[in-house]
Structure formats: C-alpha cells, structure tokens
Amino acid sequence: MRFKHLIILLCPVLLTACATVKPPAPTNEGVEIPKLVQPVSNIEIPVSVDLKSYIMQAENSVPAKYTDNQQPCEGLRYNYVFTRTPFAISGSNNVVNLKFTGSYGFTVSYCAKCATVFGGQPQCLVPVVSAQCGMGNEPLRRMVISYQSTINVTPDFHLRSKTILYPAPQPIDRCNVFMGNIDITNRLIQYITGPLNDLGKQVDARIAAYDIRPQVAQLWKNLATEVKLADVGYLNINPQTVELSNFSLNGSAINFSVGLSAKPIVTVLSQQQPPKPLPNLTNYTPSNGFNIYLDLLENYDHLTRTVNQQLVGQQTEVAGHIFKVDSTRIYGIGSKIAMQVNFSGTNTGVVYLTGTPTYDPNTHELSFLDLNFDLQTRSWILKA
C-alpha cells in the first residue's frame, strides 16, 4: 500500500499553511454501495479406489469347487464337478466386467421307467443309458463365465452395484451328450446357475460395504479449516456442496472426481467457524479442474495498523520546517476510504486524504492510486 511517498511530496504544501491545520473531516459521499455477490467456486479433486480386494473377498466367500450327485431310479441321474479360476477384471465407465474359466466334468445315466417289483426297491425296467464327459481319464471341459456389474454411488456415499451373469455361460469344450432330448451340457449350466448367481450377490455385498464417506469427510474437514497465509491473513474455503463425477475404470481401479462448490474468502482477521457437517451428495455438474473466485475482506482497524507501521514516526524536513506523522486512521466513506493523518513538527494538526481501493492481482498489492487531499482539506489549505 503506497502512502508514504505521497505524503512526503505534499509536505511543502502543508508547511505553507498556518501553524495549526484543522479542516473538517470528510463525510460519507452518500453513494449506495452494491452488495458483492460472490460466484460459486468449483473445485474437483481426483480419487481412485481399487476394487480388487473387495472382489477377492467376494470370491473367497463362496466355494471354488461345486459338486452334486443325484441318483433317482427313474429319469436323469447325474454326478458333476465344477471348479473355477479367479476373476479377471476389466471394464469401462461405471461397468465392471468380471470373467473366469470354469472347468467341468460329469457322469450321467438315464432310466426311462422304474417300478417296484415284489415289494422291494424300485428298479429300472429298461436298459440304463450311460455316458460321461470330462471324468475318469478324460480332461475336464471348459466354459467361460462372465458377469457384468454396474456401479453407482448412493447419496450417503456408499457404492452400489448390480451384478448379473452376462452373457450366458459359453462352453469352450462342449460335451455333446444327449439323453433323449436333453442336452447334458445345457442341463449342467442350469444346475450351476444358482451357485454362480450367489457369487454375483457376494460381489454386490462386498462392493456395498465400501464407504466413500470417510475420505470425502476428511477432505471436507480439511477444506473447512481456516488456513493462516503467512502475513497476508487467513483463508477460509467455505465448502458448500459436494458431488461425485461419473466413474471410469482402469483395470480394477475405479476413478472419479470429488466436486466441491465453495465460497472462499481471505480475511486479515481470523474468522474460523465450526465446520458444516458433510452434506449428502448433489447432482454432478461437470467442470474443468479449479474454478475459484476469491473474496478479499480487509478490516479497517487492521488496515490502520498496517499504515501506522509504515508511517508513524516518519519525519521529513523541508526548508527548515519539520513534518512528522504522529498517527493515522483509515475508515470508509461510501465507495472510497478516508485517511486521517495527525501530524506535528513546525505545524500541528490533521489532514484528510481520500482514495479508491485498487487491488492488483498480478502483484497482490492493495493500493490507492488516486489518493489525494479531501476537498474540504484542500479548500481549507487554500483559504489558509
């Protein structure tokens, strides 16, 4: 803030006046100052969450091997084994694709008609037709099992997914075994669909257990905490709302942005307030990184102290006349500020200057480039 040089340059004018200078103080110019409406600032912070551990927990919560054995007298008799590999994870946007290879084998037989003979156990009345695939000395057959999991976030910061078998299981090494009009491979797929759906439900349960709130709450708390800016003052971000962007996947990592709206302000005096509680999520509006409008709130008392630190005690001599600044006071008069300068030396008294505050965002300086004598001070000096 540049006051010192102007006052020193105007000393000769002051020193030509009479011994005591006491012009009337400037009054409010009566201009109504429009209230400043601060635009909302937008801040986006990237976040990445690795879902791999949650999907592994889902895998570990269900068996990796399934077997079943049904041996009715009449109809289809079967015994099968099915094992699976771990998930391979891919996806795009908010859709996770999970895939594994299942290995299977079975033995099967078929009795067209059973009856109880002489009160004993039911017996097959016709020859039993039998077959096997992927059992004994034969290698297990394979099929591809795929899931599609659509992930969203709830307003209370929990992930939510809907996992379905999609597309349908696709045999790689199909067993071309038919019993009557029954395709045994298709029947096996029906048998294992239930356990496979259970695995999808476990994926949903594990993902739903992930709570984003702690991360966002800590971020909210940090931004809601006042920050000391060296000798400048205090920065308050004042976060208002929070939102999450759409998801994008990179391998098992789900990436998104936490969007915050805020009304930041810099003050020369501390104005720390208790942080607002973290609100629920609002609808996401895309923005590009940081878009910040910063209000600067200067306090007249602080401004007065700053000016006094620069000027009080400053003394100059012109043609044998002494001019010394004793104190100053800054206050507002409408759209301008008034500066009261109390001085002593060869002459004593008070003068008033007025000027318009101007902030230079490049140099970060607050200056009053049009600072000059108030009209009444100027008039008083002319009369003197």
Side-chain angles (χ1 to χ4, degrees):
M1 287 168 285
R2 305 165 182 168
F3 300 105
K4 177 180 176 182
H5 295 161
L6 178 61
I7 293 176
I8 293 177
L9 289 173
L10 294 175
C11 285
V13 179
L14 295 174
L15 296 177
T16 59
C18 56
T20 302
V21 180
K22 288 186 178 181
T27 57
N28 195 307
E29 58 187 25
V31 177
E32 184 177 352
I33 306 300
K35 293 184 178 180
L36 294 177
V37 178
Q38 183 185 24
V40 174
S41 298
N42 297 306
I43 304 170
E44 287 206 1
I45 301 173
V47 177
S48 181
V49 176
D50 196 339
L51 297 178
K52 187 174 183 178
S53 63
Y54 298 92
I55 295 173
M56 290 178 61
Q57 291 174 24
E59 288 182 328
N60 295 333
S61 65
V62 296
K65 182 177 181 179
Y66 304 94
T67 60
D68 197 6
N69 183 10
Q70 298 291 332
Q71 300 293 328
C73 178
E74 185 174 299
L76 188 67
R77 308 168 185 178
Y78 66 87
N79 174 38
Y80 77 82
V81 59
F82 178 87
T83 60
R84 61 177 176 82
T85 60
F87 276 127
I89 307 171
S90 62
S92 62
N93 299 325
N94 66 327
V95 177
V96 181
N97 296 316
L98 307 172
K99 182 183 294 186
F100 63 80
T101 301
S103 300
Y104 69 98
F106 59 81
T107 61
V108 63
S109 61
Y110 184 79
C111 175
K113 184 64 178 177
C114 275
T116 301
V117 180
F118 304 115
Q121 295 294 326
Q123 296 181 11
C124 187
L125 300 180
V126 296
V128 175
V129 180
S130 301
Q132 71 175 29
C133 183
M135 300 290 275
N137 295 327
E138 296 182 18
L140 291 171
R141 303 302 196 259
R142 297 168 299 161
M143 69 172 64
V144 175
I145 309 296
S146 301
Y147 293 87
Q148 189 176 84
S149 185
T150 304
I151 299 179
N152 295 294
V153 63
T154 62
D156 63 351
F157 299 93
H158 282 83
L159 292 182
R160 177 177 59 196
S161 64
K162 179 64 176 178
T163 303
I164 59 173
L165 275 169
Y166 181 83
Q170 300 292 322
I172 301 174
D173 311 311
R174 190 177 189 90
C175 290
N176 295 312
V177 176
F178 289 81
M179 290 292 171
N181 61 352
I182 301 174
D183 184 328
I184 300 303
T185 300
N186 289 344
R187 180 60 62 91
L188 174 62
I189 291 174
Q190 293 177 15
Y191 291 151
I192 65 174
T193 295
L196 292 177
N197 283 331
D198 289 341
L199 177 54
K201 293 176 182 178
Q202 285 297 321
V203 171
D204 291 339
R206 299 299 173 177
I207 290 178
Y210 187 83
D211 187 4
I212 302 175
R213 178 179 288 272
Q215 295 182 49
V216 180
Q218 185 60 50
L219 178 62
W220 179 272
K221 180 180 178 181
N222 292 342
L223 292 177
T225 302
E226 186 177 73
V227 178
K228 182 72 169 68
L229 300 177
D231 297 330
V232 175
Y234 300 84
L235 171 64
N236 287 278
I237 298 294
N238 292 325
Q240 306 292 309
T241 63
V242 61
E243 56 193 34
L244 295 185
S245 71
N246 297 326
F247 297 135
S248 63
L249 283 165
N250 181 12
S252 62
I254 187 168
N255 303 305
F256 56 93
S257 293
V258 177
L260 294 165
S261 67
K263 292 188 175 182
I265 185 172
V266 173
T267 61
V268 295
L269 300 177
S270 174
Q271 293 189 353
Q272 176 67 62
Q273 301 292 327
K276 298 178 182 178
L278 178 65
N280 281 344
L281 289 172
T282 59
N283 293 330
Y284 176 70
T285 302
S287 62
N288 186 16
F290 290 83
N291 181 22
I292 298 179
Y293 301 89
L294 184 64
D295 275 2
L296 176 64
L297 182 63
E298 176 64 287
N299 178 278
Y300 285 122
D301 291 339
H302 176 268
L303 190 57
T304 296
R305 288 195 299 271
T306 301
V307 174
N308 280 334
Q309 289 174 0
Q310 297 183 27
L311 296 184
V312 171
Q314 294 290 332
Q315 179 175 305
T316 187
E317 181 177 350
V318 178
H321 297 276
I322 301 298
F323 177 84
K324 179 181 178 183
V325 177
D326 294 331
S327 65
T328 67
R329 183 172 73 91
I330 309 293
Y331 59 95
I333 51 169
S335 62
K336 295 185 176 183
I337 62 100
M339 179 178 181
Q340 175 183 326
V341 181
N342 300 299
F343 65 93
S344 61
T346 303
N347 296 335
T348 60
V350 58
V351 292
Y352 297 93
L353 301 98
T354 60
T356 305
T358 301
Y359 179 73
D360 189 334
N362 295 319
T363 62
H364 306 292
E365 288 186 342
L366 179 66
S367 59
F368 304 86
L369 301 178
D370 61 347
L371 189 67
N372 209 332
F373 285 123
D374 169 63
L375 290 176
Q376 297 194 70
T377 296
R378 191 179 306 170
S379 176
W380 196 95
I381 292 176
L382 290 175
K383 291 178 181 179

PDB file of all heavy atoms in Angstrom, residues 39-67:
ATOM      1  N   PRO A  39     -19.527 -15.315  -6.990  1.00  0.00           N
ATOM      2  CA  PRO A  39     -19.874 -16.532  -7.744  1.00  0.00           C
ATOM      3  C   PRO A  39     -19.394 -17.766  -6.983  1.00  0.00           C
ATOM      4  O   PRO A  39     -18.444 -17.712  -6.201  1.00  0.00           O
ATOM      5  CB  PRO A  39     -19.116 -16.359  -9.061  1.00  0.00           C
ATOM      6  CG  PRO A  39     -18.784 -14.903  -9.143  1.00  0.00           C
ATOM      7  CD  PRO A  39     -18.614 -14.438  -7.730  1.00  0.00           C
ATOM      8  N   VAL A  40     -20.057 -18.864  -7.218  1.00  0.00           N
ATOM      9  CA  VAL A  40     -19.664 -20.109  -6.580  1.00  0.00           C
ATOM     10  C   VAL A  40     -18.392 -20.639  -7.244  1.00  0.00           C
ATOM     11  O   VAL A  40     -18.288 -20.672  -8.470  1.00  0.00           O
ATOM     12  CB  VAL A  40     -20.790 -21.157  -6.680  1.00  0.00           C
ATOM     13  CG1 VAL A  40     -20.320 -22.505  -6.147  1.00  0.00           C
ATOM     14  CG2 VAL A  40     -22.019 -20.679  -5.912  1.00  0.00           C
ATOM     15  N   SER A  41     -17.428 -21.012  -6.441  1.00  0.00           N
ATOM     16  CA  SER A  41     -16.192 -21.601  -6.955  1.00  0.00           C
ATOM     17  C   SER A  41     -16.339 -23.113  -7.005  1.00  0.00           C
ATOM     18  O   SER A  41     -17.014 -23.713  -6.169  1.00  0.00           O
ATOM     19  CB  SER A  41     -15.013 -21.226  -6.047  1.00  0.00           C
ATOM     20  OG  SER A  41     -14.823 -19.831  -6.030  1.00  0.00           O
ATOM     21  N   ASN A  42     -15.701 -23.717  -7.989  1.00  0.00           N
ATOM     22  CA  ASN A  42     -15.768 -25.168  -8.165  1.00  0.00           C
ATOM     23  C   ASN A  42     -14.372 -25.761  -8.063  1.00  0.00           C
ATOM     24  O   ASN A  42     -13.431 -25.258  -8.676  1.00  0.00           O
ATOM     25  CB  ASN A  42     -16.379 -25.523  -9.517  1.00  0.00           C
ATOM     26  CG  ASN A  42     -17.813 -25.048  -9.640  1.00  0.00           C
ATOM     27  OD1 ASN A  42     -18.645 -25.372  -8.802  1.00  0.00           O
ATOM     28  ND2 ASN A  42     -18.102 -24.272 -10.668  1.00  0.00           N
ATOM     29  N   ILE A  43     -14.272 -26.804  -7.281  1.00  0.00           N
ATOM     30  CA  ILE A  43     -13.001 -27.497  -7.080  1.00  0.00           C
ATOM     31  C   ILE A  43     -13.233 -28.980  -7.341  1.00  0.00           C
ATOM     32  O   ILE A  43     -14.166 -29.567  -6.794  1.00  0.00           O
ATOM     33  CB  ILE A  43     -12.465 -27.298  -5.647  1.00  0.00           C
ATOM     34  CG1 ILE A  43     -12.334 -25.808  -5.320  1.00  0.00           C
ATOM     35  CG2 ILE A  43     -11.137 -28.008  -5.455  1.00  0.00           C
ATOM     36  CD1 ILE A  43     -12.040 -25.532  -3.864  1.00  0.00           C
ATOM     37  N   GLU A  44     -12.402 -29.582  -8.178  1.00  0.00           N
ATOM     38  CA  GLU A  44     -12.504 -31.008  -8.446  1.00  0.00           C
ATOM     39  C   GLU A  44     -11.209 -31.690  -8.028  1.00  0.00           C
ATOM     40  O   GLU A  44     -10.121 -31.260  -8.410  1.00  0.00           O
ATOM     41  CB  GLU A  44     -12.795 -31.280  -9.920  1.00  0.00           C
ATOM     42  CG  GLU A  44     -14.212 -30.935 -10.325  1.00  0.00           C
ATOM     43  CD  GLU A  44     -14.690 -31.743 -11.521  1.00  0.00           C
ATOM     44  OE1 GLU A  44     -13.914 -32.586 -12.008  1.00  0.00           O
ATOM     45  OE2 GLU A  44     -15.833 -31.536 -11.937  1.00  0.00           O
ATOM     46  N   ILE A  45     -11.356 -32.751  -7.237  1.00  0.00           N
ATOM     47  CA  ILE A  45     -10.203 -33.479  -6.723  1.00  0.00           C
ATOM     48  C   ILE A  45     -10.328 -34.938  -7.152  1.00  0.00           C
ATOM     49  O   ILE A  45     -11.328 -35.596  -6.850  1.00  0.00           O
ATOM     50  CB  ILE A  45     -10.132 -33.367  -5.194  1.00  0.00           C
ATOM     51  CG1 ILE A  45     -10.024 -31.885  -4.800  1.00  0.00           C
ATOM     52  CG2 ILE A  45      -8.964 -34.162  -4.645  1.00  0.00           C
ATOM     53  CD1 ILE A  45     -10.120 -31.625  -3.334  1.00  0.00           C
ATOM     54  N   PRO A  46      -9.339 -35.477  -7.876  1.00  0.00           N
ATOM     55  CA  PRO A  46      -9.432 -36.864  -8.348  1.00  0.00           C
ATOM     56  C   PRO A  46      -9.256 -37.866  -7.211  1.00  0.00           C
ATOM     57  O   PRO A  46      -8.462 -37.654  -6.286  1.00  0.00           O
ATOM     58  CB  PRO A  46      -8.294 -36.966  -9.372  1.00  0.00           C
ATOM     59  CG  PRO A  46      -7.316 -35.912  -8.951  1.00  0.00           C
ATOM     60  CD  PRO A  46      -8.120 -34.798  -8.341  1.00  0.00           C
ATOM     61  N   VAL A  47     -10.008 -38.957  -7.277  1.00  0.00           N
ATOM     62  CA  VAL A  47      -9.939 -40.035  -6.288  1.00  0.00           C
ATOM     63  C   VAL A  47      -9.910 -41.361  -7.040  1.00  0.00           C
ATOM     64  O   VAL A  47     -10.562 -41.513  -8.081  1.00  0.00           O
ATOM     65  CB  VAL A  47     -11.155 -39.995  -5.332  1.00  0.00           C
ATOM     66  CG1 VAL A  47     -11.111 -41.167  -4.356  1.00  0.00           C
ATOM     67  CG2 VAL A  47     -11.191 -38.685  -4.566  1.00  0.00           C
ATOM     68  N   SER A  48      -9.138 -42.313  -6.534  1.00  0.00           N
ATOM     69  CA  SER A  48      -9.064 -43.641  -7.134  1.00  0.00           C
ATOM     70  C   SER A  48      -9.293 -44.690  -6.049  1.00  0.00           C
ATOM     71  O   SER A  48      -8.732 -44.602  -4.957  1.00  0.00           O
ATOM     72  CB  SER A  48      -7.703 -43.864  -7.811  1.00  0.00           C
ATOM     73  OG  SER A  48      -7.643 -45.133  -8.409  1.00  0.00           O
ATOM     74  N   VAL A  49     -10.155 -45.667  -6.352  1.00  0.00           N
ATOM     75  CA  VAL A  49     -10.460 -46.754  -5.427  1.00  0.00           C
ATOM     76  C   VAL A  49     -10.194 -48.068  -6.140  1.00  0.00           C
ATOM     77  O   VAL A  49     -10.709 -48.295  -7.237  1.00  0.00           O
ATOM     78  CB  VAL A  49     -11.932 -46.699  -4.964  1.00  0.00           C
ATOM     79  CG1 VAL A  49     -12.249 -47.893  -4.080  1.00  0.00           C
ATOM     80  CG2 VAL A  49     -12.219 -45.398  -4.240  1.00  0.00           C
ATOM     81  N   ASP A  50      -9.360 -48.931  -5.531  1.00  0.00           N
ATOM     82  CA  ASP A  50      -9.072 -50.238  -6.124  1.00  0.00           C
ATOM     83  C   ASP A  50     -10.087 -51.249  -5.590  1.00  0.00           C
ATOM     84  O   ASP A  50     -10.146 -51.522  -4.388  1.00  0.00           O
ATOM     85  CB  ASP A  50      -7.655 -50.676  -5.780  1.00  0.00           C
ATOM     86  CG  ASP A  50      -7.180 -51.812  -6.674  1.00  0.00           C
ATOM     87  OD1 ASP A  50      -8.045 -52.501  -7.256  1.00  0.00           O
ATOM     88  OD2 ASP A  50      -5.961 -52.012  -6.795  1.00  0.00           O
ATOM     89  N   LEU A  51     -10.884 -51.798  -6.497  1.00  0.00           N
ATOM     90  CA  LEU A  51     -11.932 -52.749  -6.120  1.00  0.00           C
ATOM     91  C   LEU A  51     -11.420 -54.176  -6.011  1.00  0.00           C
ATOM     92  O   LEU A  51     -12.176 -55.074  -5.638  1.00  0.00           O
ATOM     93  CB  LEU A  51     -13.068 -52.699  -7.138  1.00  0.00           C
ATOM     94  CG  LEU A  51     -13.826 -51.376  -7.278  1.00  0.00           C
ATOM     95  CD1 LEU A  51     -14.876 -51.499  -8.368  1.00  0.00           C
ATOM     96  CD2 LEU A  51     -14.468 -50.975  -5.957  1.00  0.00           C
ATOM     97  N   LYS A  52     -10.164 -54.405  -6.340  1.00  0.00           N
ATOM     98  CA  LYS A  52      -9.665 -55.774  -6.414  1.00  0.00           C
ATOM     99  C   LYS A  52      -9.838 -56.516  -5.104  1.00  0.00           C
ATOM    100  O   LYS A  52     -10.270 -57.677  -5.079  1.00  0.00           O
ATOM    101  CB  LYS A  52      -8.195 -55.769  -6.835  1.00  0.00           C
ATOM    102  CG  LYS A  52      -7.639 -57.167  -7.103  1.00  0.00           C
ATOM    103  CD  LYS A  52      -6.233 -57.093  -7.653  1.00  0.00           C
ATOM    104  CE  LYS A  52      -5.706 -58.489  -7.980  1.00  0.00           C
ATOM    105  NZ  LYS A  52      -4.337 -58.440  -8.559  1.00  0.00           N
ATOM    106  N   SER A  53      -9.514 -55.869  -3.990  1.00  0.00           N
ATOM    107  CA  SER A  53      -9.604 -56.558  -2.694  1.00  0.00           C
ATOM    108  C   SER A  53     -11.045 -56.930  -2.367  1.00  0.00           C
ATOM    109  O   SER A  53     -11.313 -57.985  -1.781  1.00  0.00           O
ATOM    110  CB  SER A  53      -9.016 -55.686  -1.588  1.00  0.00           C
ATOM    111  OG  SER A  53      -9.753 -54.485  -1.446  1.00  0.00           O
ATOM    112  N   TYR A  54     -11.999 -56.076  -2.750  1.00  0.00           N
ATOM    113  CA  TYR A  54     -13.405 -56.364  -2.465  1.00  0.00           C
ATOM    114  C   TYR A  54     -13.917 -57.509  -3.324  1.00  0.00           C
ATOM    115  O   TYR A  54     -14.701 -58.350  -2.855  1.00  0.00           O
ATOM    116  CB  TYR A  54     -14.246 -55.106  -2.679  1.00  0.00           C
ATOM    117  CG  TYR A  54     -13.850 -53.997  -1.744  1.00  0.00           C
ATOM    118  CD1 TYR A  54     -12.902 -53.058  -2.120  1.00  0.00           C
ATOM    119  CD2 TYR A  54     -14.401 -53.919  -0.469  1.00  0.00           C
ATOM    120  CE1 TYR A  54     -12.505 -52.056  -1.251  1.00  0.00           C
ATOM    121  CE2 TYR A  54     -14.012 -52.923   0.408  1.00  0.00           C
ATOM    122  CZ  TYR A  54     -13.062 -51.996   0.016  1.00  0.00           C
ATOM    123  OH  TYR A  54     -12.663 -51.014   0.882  1.00  0.00           O
ATOM    124  N   ILE A  55     -13.470 -57.561  -4.570  1.00  0.00           N
ATOM    125  CA  ILE A  55     -13.867 -58.663  -5.440  1.00  0.00           C
ATOM    126  C   ILE A  55     -13.229 -59.967  -4.962  1.00  0.00           C
ATOM    127  O   ILE A  55     -13.853 -61.041  -4.995  1.00  0.00           O
ATOM    128  CB  ILE A  55     -13.497 -58.345  -6.891  1.00  0.00           C
ATOM    129  CG1 ILE A  55     -14.322 -57.145  -7.378  1.00  0.00           C
ATOM    130  CG2 ILE A  55     -13.714 -59.548  -7.796  1.00  0.00           C
ATOM    131  CD1 ILE A  55     -13.929 -56.626  -8.732  1.00  0.00           C
ATOM    132  N   MET A  56     -11.986 -59.903  -4.481  1.00  0.00           N
ATOM    133  CA  MET A  56     -11.343 -61.091  -3.932  1.00  0.00           C
ATOM    134  C   MET A  56     -12.079 -61.582  -2.698  1.00  0.00           C
ATOM    135  O   MET A  56     -12.230 -62.799  -2.481  1.00  0.00           O
ATOM    136  CB  MET A  56      -9.874 -60.785  -3.608  1.00  0.00           C
ATOM    137  CG  MET A  56      -8.990 -60.591  -4.831  1.00  0.00           C
ATOM    138  SD  MET A  56      -7.275 -60.167  -4.389  1.00  0.00           S
ATOM    139  CE  MET A  56      -6.806 -61.620  -3.439  1.00  0.00           C
ATOM    140  N   GLN A  57     -12.562 -60.656  -1.870  1.00  0.00           N
ATOM    141  CA  GLN A  57     -13.344 -61.059  -0.699  1.00  0.00           C
ATOM    142  C   GLN A  57     -14.612 -61.779  -1.122  1.00  0.00           C
ATOM    143  O   GLN A  57     -15.026 -62.767  -0.499  1.00  0.00           O
ATOM    144  CB  GLN A  57     -13.704 -59.832   0.142  1.00  0.00           C
ATOM    145  CG  GLN A  57     -12.539 -59.175   0.846  1.00  0.00           C
ATOM    146  CD  GLN A  57     -12.941 -57.895   1.544  1.00  0.00           C
ATOM    147  OE1 GLN A  57     -14.094 -57.690   1.886  1.00  0.00           O
ATOM    148  NE2 GLN A  57     -11.969 -57.016   1.755  1.00  0.00           N
ATOM    149  N   ALA A  58     -15.242 -61.282  -2.203  1.00  0.00           N
ATOM    150  CA  ALA A  58     -16.447 -61.948  -2.712  1.00  0.00           C
ATOM    151  C   ALA A  58     -16.102 -63.352  -3.207  1.00  0.00           C
ATOM    152  O   ALA A  58     -16.841 -64.316  -2.948  1.00  0.00           O
ATOM    153  CB  ALA A  58     -17.065 -61.120  -3.827  1.00  0.00           C
ATOM    154  N   GLU A  59     -14.977 -63.490  -3.913  1.00  0.00           N
ATOM    155  CA  GLU A  59     -14.570 -64.809  -4.399  1.00  0.00           C
ATOM    156  C   GLU A  59     -14.307 -65.771  -3.253  1.00  0.00           C
ATOM    157  O   GLU A  59     -14.683 -66.948  -3.298  1.00  0.00           O
ATOM    158  CB  GLU A  59     -13.303 -64.687  -5.246  1.00  0.00           C
ATOM    159  CG  GLU A  59     -13.507 -64.040  -6.601  1.00  0.00           C
ATOM    160  CD  GLU A  59     -12.229 -63.998  -7.404  1.00  0.00           C
ATOM    161  OE1 GLU A  59     -11.142 -63.884  -6.815  1.00  0.00           O
ATOM    162  OE2 GLU A  59     -12.325 -64.098  -8.624  1.00  0.00           O
ATOM    163  N   ASN A  60     -13.658 -65.280  -2.215  1.00  0.00           N
ATOM    164  CA  ASN A  60     -13.293 -66.140  -1.096  1.00  0.00           C
ATOM    165  C   ASN A  60     -14.487 -66.532  -0.232  1.00  0.00           C
ATOM    166  O   ASN A  60     -14.391 -67.452   0.587  1.00  0.00           O
ATOM    167  CB  ASN A  60     -12.242 -65.460  -0.225  1.00  0.00           C
ATOM    168  CG  ASN A  60     -10.920 -65.254  -0.958  1.00  0.00           C
ATOM    169  OD1 ASN A  60     -10.601 -66.013  -1.880  1.00  0.00           O
ATOM    170  ND2 ASN A  60     -10.161 -64.246  -0.571  1.00  0.00           N
ATOM    171  N   SER A  61     -15.600 -65.801  -0.385  1.00  0.00           N
ATOM    172  CA  SER A  61     -16.774 -66.083   0.446  1.00  0.00           C
ATOM    173  C   SER A  61     -17.643 -67.210  -0.115  1.00  0.00           C
ATOM    174  O   SER A  61     -18.587 -67.652   0.534  1.00  0.00           O
ATOM    175  CB  SER A  61     -17.622 -64.820   0.602  1.00  0.00           C
ATOM    176  OG  SER A  61     -18.162 -64.428  -0.644  1.00  0.00           O
ATOM    177  N   VAL A  62     -17.342 -67.686  -1.330  1.00  0.00           N
ATOM    178  CA  VAL A  62     -18.096 -68.786  -1.938  1.00  0.00           C
ATOM    179  C   VAL A  62     -17.098 -69.855  -2.382  1.00  0.00           C
ATOM    180  O   VAL A  62     -15.913 -69.566  -2.607  1.00  0.00           O
ATOM    181  CB  VAL A  62     -18.943 -68.294  -3.136  1.00  0.00           C
ATOM    182  CG1 VAL A  62     -19.998 -67.312  -2.690  1.00  0.00           C
ATOM    183  CG2 VAL A  62     -18.059 -67.679  -4.209  1.00  0.00           C
ATOM    184  N   PRO A  63     -17.554 -71.108  -2.499  1.00  0.00           N
ATOM    185  CA  PRO A  63     -16.619 -72.188  -2.872  1.00  0.00           C
ATOM    186  C   PRO A  63     -16.032 -71.978  -4.265  1.00  0.00           C
ATOM    187  O   PRO A  63     -16.651 -71.378  -5.134  1.00  0.00           O
ATOM    188  CB  PRO A  63     -17.497 -73.447  -2.827  1.00  0.00           C
ATOM    189  CG  PRO A  63     -18.681 -73.084  -1.992  1.00  0.00           C
ATOM    190  CD  PRO A  63     -18.903 -71.617  -2.225  1.00  0.00           C
ATOM    191  N   ALA A  64     -14.836 -72.510  -4.444  1.00  0.00           N
ATOM    192  CA  ALA A  64     -14.215 -72.512  -5.773  1.00  0.00           C
ATOM    193  C   ALA A  64     -14.517 -73.803  -6.515  1.00  0.00           C
ATOM    194  O   ALA A  64     -14.216 -73.924  -7.706  1.00  0.00           O
ATOM    195  CB  ALA A  64     -12.704 -72.334  -5.649  1.00  0.00           C
ATOM    196  N   LYS A  65     -15.136 -74.754  -5.798  1.00  0.00           N
ATOM    197  CA  LYS A  65     -15.451 -76.037  -6.418  1.00  0.00           C
ATOM    198  C   LYS A  65     -16.886 -76.425  -6.051  1.00  0.00           C
ATOM    199  O   LYS A  65     -17.287 -76.322  -4.888  1.00  0.00           O
ATOM    200  CB  LYS A  65     -14.479 -77.113  -5.945  1.00  0.00           C
ATOM    201  CG  LYS A  65     -14.688 -78.473  -6.573  1.00  0.00           C
ATOM    202  CD  LYS A  65     -13.621 -79.453  -6.086  1.00  0.00           C
ATOM    203  CE  LYS A  65     -13.795 -80.829  -6.738  1.00  0.00           C
ATOM    204  NZ  LYS A  65     -12.746 -81.785  -6.288  1.00  0.00           N
ATOM    205  N   TYR A  66     -17.634 -76.848  -7.031  1.00  0.00           N
ATOM    206  CA  TYR A  66     -19.022 -77.254  -6.814  1.00  0.00           C
ATOM    207  C   TYR A  66     -19.180 -78.700  -7.275  1.00  0.00           C
ATOM    208  O   TYR A  66     -18.691 -79.087  -8.362  1.00  0.00           O
ATOM    209  CB  TYR A  66     -19.995 -76.374  -7.600  1.00  0.00           C
ATOM    210  CG  TYR A  66     -19.863 -74.890  -7.315  1.00  0.00           C
ATOM    211  CD1 TYR A  66     -19.052 -74.103  -8.125  1.00  0.00           C
ATOM    212  CD2 TYR A  66     -20.538 -74.291  -6.261  1.00  0.00           C
ATOM    213  CE1 TYR A  66     -18.925 -72.747  -7.874  1.00  0.00           C
ATOM    214  CE2 TYR A  66     -20.417 -72.947  -6.001  1.00  0.00           C
ATOM    215  CZ  TYR A  66     -19.605 -72.168  -6.808  1.00  0.00           C
ATOM    216  OH  TYR A  66     -19.479 -70.849  -6.564  1.00  0.00           O
ATOM    217  N   THR A  67     -19.868 -79.501  -6.485  1.00  0.00           N
ATOM    218  CA  THR A  67     -20.194 -80.874  -6.881  1.00  0.00           C
ATOM    219  C   THR A  67     -21.632 -81.155  -6.492  1.00  0.00           C
ATOM    220  O   THR A  67     -22.183 -80.540  -5.566  1.00  0.00           O
ATOM    221  CB  THR A  67     -19.270 -81.896  -6.193  1.00  0.00           C
ATOM    222  OG1 THR A  67     -19.425 -81.791  -4.769  1.00  0.00           O
ATOM    223  CG2 THR A  67     -17.816 -81.659  -6.576  1.00  0.00           C
TER     224      THR A  67
END
